[in-house]
Amino acid sequence: MYFSTQHRFWTIPVCGTAPETIFKISGKNHQYEYILKIRATGSGQADFVAASSIPVYFERELNIECDNQALLNEIRLTDSPFNSDGYAGPHRQQFHFSSRTGFLNDPNGLFYFQGTYHLFFQHHPFGVYGAQQHWGHAISSDLVHWQEKGQALFPRGTSACWSGSAFVDTENVSGLGIPGGPSPILLFFTSADSGCFSQNIAYSVDGGENFIPYRRNPVLISQGDGDDRDPSIAYDAECREFLMCLFLGETSRQFGMFRSDDLLHWQEFQRFSFPGEGCECPDLFSIRDEATGRVRWVLIEANGHYLLGDRNGKDGTFVWNTGGTILNRQDYLGPYAGQSFQNVPDGKRYYMAWHWDHTRTRETSQAMTLPVELKLRGERLLVFPVEALKTLRCETYRFSAPAFQVRLRELPVDSGDLWELEIVTPPDEEIHLNFGGVPIAFDGKRRELRIASSVITYPDGETYFRGRIFLDRNTVDLFDHAGRFMLCVSVDRHSSRPVEFGDLWKTNRLCELTVHRLKSIWQS
């Protein structure tokens, strides 16, 4: 089926129980063909209507082929498949980003450019399980309220677009920019086909609105076990060179470091292993230590473990001195494969991860974590919720002893409500809370914070908990006031009272509790 169109999207009804049908999609003169297996169906049997962007390099021509004419007849063209009402389901996160439809996982290619934050993410637009991944795209002015744009990267042939990163080429060293135009923006990604992985580039010359495949792809063929992936790009201003960190595959579980002077040609100069269970999705960046003023290098892997170090002055190899973790996961669920935003003013470093859980509806699956700011203090990486989250507060209730028991019982809590709690527990006491069946306890005498199966021990002399707790439809997020950790746990809010204040009913000692009802990011 051939379309000559100026529309931006094509749509087709899909159903998770329908058989897979092979579709061939291509542009003008059948160029840039890619092949998808889609569980397409008639509109009366659909779980949802899937939407896919039409790439700008298709030159306003769209060819879609399959051997089922009835399914081809279900295809429609549109300019606006996304609307705010579509984000309002009872099981959908309301202040964590999620895609309107389809399956979402790793955040990719995060950057800031001319007042706008760009979030790309692994996206399968035609189902609620991962398959041939595209890169979805959303934009924001504050990291909290997002507008979904569609897909930015598409498979080639039978491949998938796996994770990667972005770089704003302000000096146009790549030569991909247009004279007098905005800085070119390069997306680095892994093209993953069976047994054949390579690193590729797509670039934008219109400020991140559209991306075009680099005609000399791939820029790096397999360097490791055949499944090397997830390029992370950084710039070393002191050495005046670009850096790429690449996960070299599941067999060696090593990371490779590459250098370039033009972002297009890369040479390996180092390999190393990450201690413990370090694997995939590296995030490499430099950051200034607020305590010492020194600029240090940080490498974070998918599980949230990080290394902190410097570069050797002779050969540029990395020497990792210490490390830690910023994420806490529960049985392989929770925050994973995070990435920080490039090109943010004043050297700030914002970070988001995929919140991996079992939540699926007929039309969508998975969400991102809350956006946080990373800070380095005294050789420790700290994590804080971004300030813009405070703009979601719409009602506030403040409590303190001895009026806890009466006033907490008056707090109107419904299963669909969105909450933020600011809490300071009494010293030396054990306090219990419960959010959607997830127990949270702080034992002042043991100096232990417990949430689900995680246990965090506090330093000597610190016998109270002070922090913030966020409750969305499917998750509870807990942050320590000093930025020492970020705990994200999946919850079931539809089977019981969503918030139980436990021992706070009984305490008569000084305890501070402020409860904020929050607005949805899709409607506020």
Side-chain angles (χ1 to χ4, degrees):
M1 181 173 285
Y2 169 80
F3 301 91
S4 177
T5 179
Q6 295 190 24
H7 289 293
R8 297 175 53 234
F9 298 89
W10 65 276
T11 68
I12 191 167
V14 296
C15 177
T17 58
E20 289 184 333
T21 300
I22 295 177
F23 286 77
K24 294 182 179 180
I25 298 97
S26 60
K28 186 175 182 179
N29 299 323
H30 293 275
Q31 295 186 78
Y32 299 102
E33 181 179 88
Y34 59 101
I35 301 170
L36 300 175
K37 295 179 180 179
I38 302 175
R39 296 186 182 276
T41 188
S43 56
Q45 295 80 41
D47 290 336
F48 66 93
V49 176
S52 179
S53 300
I54 301 172
V56 65
Y57 50 84
F58 275 19
E59 299 185 52
R60 299 179 180 175
E61 294 189 17
L62 175 65
N63 296 281
I64 303 179
E65 303 173 42
C66 83
D67 58 6
N68 188 324
Q69 185 61 44
L71 295 179
L72 289 174
N73 292 338
E74 296 287 346
I75 293 172
R76 301 290 184 269
L77 303 178
T78 182
D79 284 324
S80 54
F82 309 111
N83 59 76
S84 60
D85 292 342
Y87 297 90
H91 294 275
R92 181 188 289 275
Q93 297 279 69
Q94 290 299 294
F95 55 87
H96 295 70
F97 174 80
S98 61
S99 59
R100 169 64 182 82
T101 55
F103 176 85
L104 165 157
N105 56 309
D106 307 357
N108 297 147
L110 312 186
F111 68 89
Y112 175 90
F113 187 68
Q114 295 182 347
T116 299
Y117 295 95
H118 291 256
L119 163 66
F120 299 86
F121 51 92
Q122 290 287 285
H123 188 216
H124 177 47
F126 301 102
V128 295
Y129 292 88
Q132 267 179 284
Q133 300 300 84
H134 301 51
W135 275 30
H137 184 199
I139 60 173
S140 173
S141 61
D142 64 359
L143 292 168
V144 174
H145 300 85
W146 294 95
Q147 177 189 355
E148 199 166 354
K149 302 286 286 183
Q151 291 79 40
L153 297 185
F154 304 82
R156 288 292 300 272
T158 58
S159 69
C161 297
W162 280 17
S163 291
S165 61
F167 193 86
V168 180
D169 183 9
T170 55
E171 302 298 325
N172 194 24
V173 298
S174 65
L176 297 175
I178 297 174
S183 299
I185 300 166
L186 281 62
L187 300 183
F188 292 79
F189 65 97
T190 298
S191 178
D193 210 339
S194 56
C196 183
F197 286 33
S198 63
Q199 314 316 315
N200 295 259
I201 291 174
Y203 65 97
S204 173
V205 292
D206 59 5
E209 189 70 24
N210 298 284
F211 288 85
I212 304 166
Y214 177 49
R215 63 186 179 88
R216 294 183 178 176
N217 278 333
V219 296
L220 197 62
I221 60 174
S222 179
Q223 304 291 305
D225 304 327
D227 57 346
D228 39 331
R229 57 188 185 268
D230 313 330
S232 175
I233 308 300
Y235 180 65
D236 187 336
E238 183 176 349
C239 296
R240 299 179 63 84
E241 64 181 4
F242 301 96
L243 302 169
M244 176 193 293
C245 183
L246 193 66
F247 179 62
L248 297 180
E250 296 293 344
T251 302
S252 69
R253 300 184 73 82
Q254 288 188 312
F255 291 84
M257 300 299 304
F258 301 79
R259 53 167 48 110
S260 173
D261 58 8
D262 64 1
L263 290 165
L264 305 177
H265 303 88
W266 296 89
Q267 181 179 4
E268 184 178 357
F269 67 92
Q270 185 181 8
R271 291 191 181 194
F272 58 88
S273 296
F274 209 106
E277 295 297 318
C279 73
E280 69 177 358
C281 298
D283 186 26
L284 176 70
F285 58 90
S286 60
I287 187 171
R288 188 174 299 278
D289 191 321
E290 295 181 357
T292 66
R294 289 181 60 194
V295 174
R296 311 297 304 279
W297 283 94
V298 174
L299 178 65
I300 310 176
E301 54 82 59
N303 293 293
H305 304 305
Y306 68 87
L307 297 175
L308 178 67
D310 305 285
R311 297 191 71 187
N312 185 309
K314 294 182 179 180
D315 58 10
T317 55
F318 284 83
V319 179
W320 304 112
N321 309 119
T322 186
T325 186
I326 58 170
L327 303 178
N328 289 267
R329 307 188 65 216
Q330 303 277 327
D331 302 323
Y332 298 100
L333 298 177
Y336 189 74
Q339 191 173 123
S340 57
F341 284 81
Q342 297 269 6
N343 202 47
V344 179
D346 302 322
K348 291 183 178 294
R349 186 60 58 167
Y350 299 118
Y351 180 91
M352 292 177 74
W354 163 35
H355 187 103
W356 187 349
D357 64 24
H358 293 308
T359 302
R360 281 185 175 85
T361 68
R362 292 176 61 189
E363 62 181 22
T364 188
S365 176
Q366 311 297 298
M368 294 299 174
T369 63
L370 293 177
V372 297
E373 182 175 0
L374 302 180
K375 297 184 178 184
L376 184 64
R377 291 178 186 163
E379 298 200 344
R380 182 168 184 173
L381 200 60
L382 305 176
V383 54
F384 300 91
V386 298
E387 281 295 307
L389 287 167
K390 293 179 180 178
T391 65
L392 300 179
R393 297 171 179 174
C394 59
E395 296 178 23
T396 296
Y397 306 85
R398 290 184 172 85
F399 306 91
S400 59
F404 263 133
Q405 186 166 356
V406 174
R407 295 199 59 209
L408 277 176
R409 291 185 186 277
E410 297 173 352
L411 184 65
V413 179
D414 298 319
S415 61
D417 287 343
L418 313 172
W419 298 99
E420 176 195 351
L421 282 71
E422 299 178 281
I423 186 170
V424 182
T425 66
D428 300 312
E429 289 197 10
E430 186 170 0
I431 299 298
H432 293 265
L433 306 172
N434 193 292
F435 293 84
V438 174
I440 301 175
F442 184 81
D443 187 333
K445 293 181 179 179
R446 293 175 178 266
R447 307 189 322 280
E448 285 184 350
L449 174 69
R450 301 187 294 271
I451 177 170
S453 61
S454 291
V455 178
I456 295 176
T457 301
Y458 269 51
D460 289 343
E462 197 164 336
T463 63
Y464 66 95
F465 169 73
R466 177 184 173 193
R468 295 166 70 184
I469 304 171
F470 293 85
L471 181 63
D472 204 338
R473 294 277 172 80
N474 303 320
T475 55
V476 57
D477 302 272
L478 189 148
F479 295 87
D480 168 70
H481 79 285
R484 288 170 289 199
F485 56 80
M486 168 183 178
L487 278 164
C488 309
V489 181
S490 299
V491 299
D492 177 8
R493 297 189 55 191
H494 306 279
S495 60
S496 62
R497 180 176 169 84
V499 180
E500 296 288 348
F501 290 100
D503 292 351
L504 288 181
W505 298 114
K506 296 182 285 187
T507 182
N508 288 315
R509 300 187 62 186
L510 178 62
C511 178
E512 300 174 21
L513 176 66
T514 302
V515 181
H516 306 281
R517 190 192 300 273
L518 304 182
K519 298 177 289 188
S520 167
I521 64 173
W522 308 116
Q523 298 170 354
S524 59

